[in-house]
Amino acid sequence: MHEVTVTQDILEKALDAAKVNNAKAITKIRIKVGDFTGFDPGCISFYFELMAKDTIAEGAVLEFEKIPLSLNCSACDLTFTPEDFPLSFACPACGNTRNRLVSGKELSVEDMEIDV
Amino acid sequence: MAKKKIPIKEKVRKGNEEYAKENCRILAGKDILCINLMSSPGAGKTTLIEVTREFFGDDYRIAVIEGDLAGNIDEKRLMKSGIPVVQINTVSMCHLNAYMVNEVLEDLPLDDADFIFIENIGNLVCPAGVPLGEDVRVVILAITEGDDKPAKYPVIFHDADAVVINKIDFLRFMDVDVASIEEQIKAINPDASIFKVSAINGDGIGEWADWLAMKKKEKA
């Protein structure tokens, strides 16, 4: 459900960039989405199809680059992706739990392909 | 027709971030601590606000932004206690965003408030990634929801500055492992402050209120 506003934002960014570049059609949009954002690419694609109808982005393919959750241990400097479930941010090498989130919270429109 | 690839490189939800910064700017210098209060429906957000206000008495003044899909039940309820409150109705949206907060923020008596509570939409998923311009993020979890929620909804618990485990008075009726709840929180967020409270009978409210007062002093 919360993908609605995010999808709206993606569509607006794409249409704005299309206008600046005098695009006739948007054919592909590449999006980075982190695993720890709670956003589901399938859901974004579903809403996009509905929202893009009757715009020049209608039929555009959304290509997602999924970014894994990764953490950097503040004690031993190991960078690791924690086990999926149950999620624990403890370092698998030394057990330290105070670790910095390195990736997994991304959500950005990277680039797109247009017909001009 | 020619094909062309164009770079965009823009964060989604940048608009929300900008409104969140604007809300921070409005509150900066007002000596107010702003709390984004999140939980599933019925965990006790409104009751916690009421009991916190009661505990503070004349020491601190609070104001509230209420978020609900429909109606103003909580607004009317808090007005009865004399708490300044504005209600936001999101109709179908599952979380508040910084723009909605920005539209009502200055309807509150900002020069006569020490704390602003933003009561988010009851939901453990969607409010997690949407900053409103708050100083602290607090998640309430009622033990009646079971003892597995931090493991099941890690994002919202990871981002919390504090977790209030509410309805602790129900322990005598329920088989709930509170230590396990705490372990699950600490596994993803070892720095979160955890309070075990009963908003109904007042157990643990003192520690929670002291934490709020401490956070307010830290900000000043």
Side-chain angles (χ1 to χ4, degrees), chain B residues 60-135:
Chain B
Y60 295 109
R61 299 152 301 174
I62 70 167
V64 178
I65 295 173
E66 269 295 333
D68 283 297
L69 268 67
N72 63 342
I73 293 171
D74 286 346
E75 181 186 35
K76 284 196 281 192
R77 183 170 150 187
L78 292 174
M79 277 167 104
K80 269 190 199 156
S81 323
I83 298 173
V85 53
V86 285
Q87 175 84 50
I88 297 173
N89 281 151
T90 60
V91 187
S92 62
M93 250 180 60
C94 45
H95 59 274
L96 293 178
N97 64 37
Y99 173 72
M100 295 171 184
V101 170
N102 184 261
E103 281 203 305
V104 300
L105 191 55
E106 286 173 292
D107 294 342
L108 289 172
L110 299 182
D111 291 321
D112 296 303
D114 298 299
F115 294 95
I116 289 181
F117 287 90
I118 304 174
E119 187 179 326
N120 218 313
I121 305 297
N123 183 336
L124 283 181
V125 186
C126 312
V130 190
L132 307 176
E134 68 274 4
D135 299 300

Side-chain angles (χ1 to χ4, degrees), chain B:
Chain B
M1 218 160 26
K3 283 219 176 283
K4 196 172 152 190
K5 189 170 174 176
I6 53 174
I8 299 182
K9 295 265 176 216
E10 261 194 63
K11 271 169 88 169
V12 176
R13 280 202 167 146
K14 202 155 171 264
N16 187 76
E17 270 178 35
E18 274 156 24
Y19 275 109
K21 274 187 206 148
E22 171 66 11
N23 294 344
C24 275
R25 196 192 58 74
I26 292 169
L27 295 174
K30 294 272 186 199
D31 198 19
I32 289 172
L33 188 84
C34 180
I35 302 117
N36 183 356
L37 199 54
M38 297 168 284
S39 79
S40 36
K45 293 185 290 300
T46 316
T47 309
L48 185 71
I49 292 171
E50 287 171 327
V51 74
T52 305
R53 197 262 176 156
E54 236 169 77
F55 186 89
F56 280 151
D58 294 330
D59 294 346
Y60 295 109
R61 299 152 301 174
I62 70 167
V64 178
I65 295 173
E66 269 295 333
D68 283 297
L69 268 67
N72 63 342
I73 293 171
D74 286 346
E75 181 186 35
K76 284 196 281 192
R77 183 170 150 187
L78 292 174
M79 277 167 104
K80 269 190 199 156
S81 323
I83 298 173
V85 53
V86 285
Q87 175 84 50
I88 297 173
N89 281 151
T90 60
V91 187
S92 62
M93 250 180 60
C94 45
H95 59 274
L96 293 178
N97 64 37
Y99 173 72
M100 295 171 184
V101 170
N102 184 261
E103 281 203 305
V104 300
L105 191 55
E106 286 173 292
D107 294 342
L108 289 172
L110 299 182
D111 291 321
D112 296 303
D114 298 299
F115 294 95
I116 289 181
F117 287 90
I118 304 174
E119 187 179 326
N120 218 313
I121 305 297
N123 183 336
L124 283 181
V125 186
C126 312
V130 190
L132 307 176
E134 68 274 4
D135 299 300
V136 292
R137 302 167 67 80
V138 175
V139 178
I140 307 180
L141 174 68
I143 62 158
T144 46
E145 297 172 64
D147 50 22
D148 53 6
K149 294 303 170 286
K152 285 179 171 173
Y153 299 86
V155 180
I156 202 162
F157 287 96
H158 171 260
D159 291 345
D161 296 292
V163 179
V164 176
I165 303 175
N166 191 23
K167 307 193 188 181
I168 212 81
D169 50 318
F170 271 62
L171 257 184
R172 59 201 156 115
F173 305 116
M174 301 188 63
D175 183 21
V176 170
D177 186 348
V178 176
S180 166
I181 296 176
E182 292 184 70
E183 275 164 28
Q184 290 162 46
I185 296 165
K186 284 183 182 140
I188 46 175
N189 186 356
D191 294 323
S193 301
I194 300 175
F195 303 98
K196 288 175 266 188
V197 315
S198 163
I200 292 291
N201 70 21
D203 284 351
I205 295 300
E207 289 85 352
W208 151 248
D210 286 348
W211 180 82
L212 285 174
M214 183 194 78
K215 285 285 166 192
K216 184 172 155 62
K217 280 196 192 101
E218 275 176 18
K219 189 192 172 185

Side-chain angles (χ1 to χ4, degrees), chain A residues 2 5 9 13 21 27 36 39 85 87 89 97-98 101 105 107-116, chain B residues 1-6 8-13 92-94 126 151 154-155 158-159 187-188 190-191:
Chain A
H2 61 312
T5 46
D9 203 4
K13 280 189 196 339
N21 288 277
T27 53
F36 203 55
F39 293 119
F85 190 88
L87 190 62
F89 279 12
T97 52
R98 280 179 177 74
L101 204 138
K105 287 274 203 182
L107 187 65
S108 60
V109 180
E110 289 298 295
D111 53 53
M112 65 180 191
E113 286 176 22
I114 54 172
D115 289 335
V116 286
Chain B
M1 218 160 26
K3 283 219 176 283
K4 196 172 152 190
K5 189 170 174 176
I6 53 174
I8 299 182
K9 295 265 176 216
E10 261 194 63
K11 271 169 88 169
V12 176
R13 280 202 167 146
S92 62
M93 250 180 60
C94 45
C126 312
V155 180
H158 171 260
D159 291 345
I188 46 175
D191 294 323

Side-chain angles (χ1 to χ4, degrees), chain A residues 45-74:
Chain A
S45 295
F46 175 77
Y47 290 130
F48 187 86
E49 203 181 314
L50 299 173
M51 288 177 183
K53 207 170 164 1
D54 299 326
T55 74
I56 60 165
E58 183 170 349
V61 174
L62 300 193
E63 195 177 280
F64 291 94
E65 185 186 344
K66 297 251 286 165
I67 311 292
L69 168 61
S70 74
L71 301 159
N72 180 259
C73 176
S74 62

